[in-house]
Amino acid sequence: MSAPGTTGADVDGDVDLEDVVAADHAHVRPWVLMAVLAVGLVVATIVAIGIGAFHASPGEVLSVIADRLGLDVGNPPGPLLDSVIWDIRIPRVLLSIVVGGALGCAGAAMQGSFANPLAEPGIIGVSSGAALGAVAAIVAGFTLFDTWSVAGAAFIGGLLTVALVYVASRSNGRTEVVTLILTGVGINALTGAVIGLMTYLSDDAQLRSITFWTLGSVAQATWSKVLVVAPIAIVGILIACTQTRKLDLLSLGERSARHLGVDVERFRVLMLVVIALLTASAVAVSGIILFVGLVVPHVVRMIVGPGHRTLLPASALAGALAIVVADTIARTAIAPSEIPLGVLTALVGAPFFLWLLRRTRARQGGWA
């Protein structure tokens, strides 16, 4: 433990991060939360695969998976239910896990990198940029990547927008957090206006595609999407999880982090790239899904504390669990119709954001 009055460094110059990031009240032990989230995700996955117009018991779900993996565990269900489970539901649930994990981890990394509890990935323009890329591809009839044309355009649009925000906010060799956020707000407004113009100029078929895409959904999940996006998300999450110590140091403030050996500017660039990759890959296959990157890390932080070594992987697991549950509700609540996934997450996330805003303001005694 660091002595009272120290800056959190021990006699060897190393930082006792357990003291630095410890909260002023007890939290759930990290391994307990991770275990609960992992078990919850497995249970939610099996239940989600079984729920639908063709109901399947957990035993039938596991039987189909085992049969496809070449394991003999008894009589699998009939060919119709087998096809529904393997070709439709499992890809959809796996894509939900990938999207939720990417958005949850990106949100936690964003809040840690900017030391701002109200930050979320969309604030740097990646979501709106991806939306602009997708809408432009739809309206222009872009087919260079065949069935991947819209998703590819969305991914590229998200990355390019983040690069534009970073370059536009850079001054005198460094980037200030406030300038970056305000630049992101301006770029979001600009891309929103362009999307509105393209939507106005689109025909009926294009309008339906644009509306479906911008509201967010994993209904068009396929095995190919899972196999392409999952590696990007996994690599992004792993890279983010290797930077937890620097994120903890940055929570002390930029000046303290620099004194303790963190190249803040270079580190923020790295985290921006990671956040952009995670968010753009998710948005490219699911459309815009709001508030997951904001709400999930806060819920995890309130349970387990602010240490990023637990916060980042736990946020990934919690984000995956949240999207699996939300998508299951979205496709079954008003069956045979579906509630757009982005609409459902916004209905839950927006009130939470307003509560969080008031809570943060009250704790700080105002914004001045």
Side-chain angles (χ1 to χ4, degrees), residues 74-95:
N75 295 325
L80 178 59
L81 185 56
D82 180 277
S83 179
V84 168
I85 291 175
W86 185 259
D87 297 324
I88 299 175
R89 291 187 188 165
I90 290 181
R92 180 166 183 163
V93 173
L94 290 180
L95 194 64

Side-chain angles (χ1 to χ4, degrees), residues 114-204:
F114 290 85
N116 188 330
L118 301 179
E120 65 100 20
I123 204 170
I124 56 174
V126 60
S127 297
S128 61
L132 178 59
V135 171
I138 292 170
V139 174
F142 180 65
T143 58
L144 180 62
F145 303 134
D146 197 25
T147 56
W148 281 92
S149 296
V150 174
F155 184 76
I156 294 171
L159 296 183
L160 289 178
T161 305
V162 172
L164 176 61
V165 169
Y166 176 75
V167 171
S169 60
R170 190 173 174 83
S171 178
N172 297 324
R174 61 189 299 266
T175 304
E176 295 180 346
V177 173
V178 174
T179 304
L180 188 71
I181 292 175
L182 292 177
T183 303
V185 170
I187 295 297
N188 279 328
L190 178 61
T191 54
V194 176
I195 290 172
L197 178 61
M198 289 186 177
T199 302
Y200 179 76
L201 297 175
S202 62
D203 58 33
D204 289 343

Side-chain angles (χ1 to χ4, degrees), residues 49-286:
I49 294 172
I51 291 178
F54 294 92
H55 179 75
S57 67
E60 290 175 319
V61 171
L62 295 175
S63 177
V64 169
I65 296 174
D67 182 63
R68 293 284 185 159
L69 295 177
L71 303 176
D72 186 9
V73 294
N75 295 325
L80 178 59
L81 185 56
D82 180 277
S83 179
V84 168
I85 291 175
W86 185 259
D87 297 324
I88 299 175
R89 291 187 188 165
I90 290 181
R92 180 166 183 163
V93 173
L94 290 180
L95 194 64
S96 299
I97 292 173
V98 171
V99 169
L103 293 176
C105 183
M110 183 79 180
Q111 292 166 11
S113 300
F114 290 85
N116 188 330
L118 301 179
E120 65 100 20
I123 204 170
I124 56 174
V126 60
S127 297
S128 61
L132 178 59
V135 171
I138 292 170
V139 174
F142 180 65
T143 58
L144 180 62
F145 303 134
D146 197 25
T147 56
W148 281 92
S149 296
V150 174
F155 184 76
I156 294 171
L159 296 183
L160 289 178
T161 305
V162 172
L164 176 61
V165 169
Y166 176 75
V167 171
S169 60
R170 190 173 174 83
S171 178
N172 297 324
R174 61 189 299 266
T175 304
E176 295 180 346
V177 173
V178 174
T179 304
L180 188 71
I181 292 175
L182 292 177
T183 303
V185 170
I187 295 297
N188 279 328
L190 178 61
T191 54
V194 176
I195 290 172
L197 178 61
M198 289 186 177
T199 302
Y200 179 76
L201 297 175
S202 62
D203 58 33
D204 289 343
Q206 293 170 341
L207 182 60
R208 284 194 293 271
S209 297
I210 292 171
T211 302
F212 177 81
W213 196 91
T214 54
L215 290 179
S217 175
V218 290
Q220 296 181 344
T222 61
W223 276 109
S224 62
K225 288 184 178 180
V226 174
L227 294 175
V228 169
V229 176
I232 300 175
I234 291 172
V235 169
I237 292 171
L238 290 177
I239 293 175
C241 288
T242 64
Q243 304 299 314
T244 55
R245 180 180 175 83
K246 291 183 179 179
L247 286 170
D248 286 339
L249 291 176
L250 195 58
S251 67
L252 298 172
E254 290 188 24
R255 180 176 299 178
S256 297
R258 288 193 184 95
H259 287 321
L260 293 168
V262 179
D263 186 336
V264 175
E265 184 68 19
R266 180 176 296 179
F267 175 66
R268 280 214 173 106
V269 171
L270 171 63
M271 294 309 297
L272 276 176
V273 172
V274 172
I275 293 165
L277 284 174
L278 287 171
T279 309
S281 62
V283 174
V285 294
S286 66

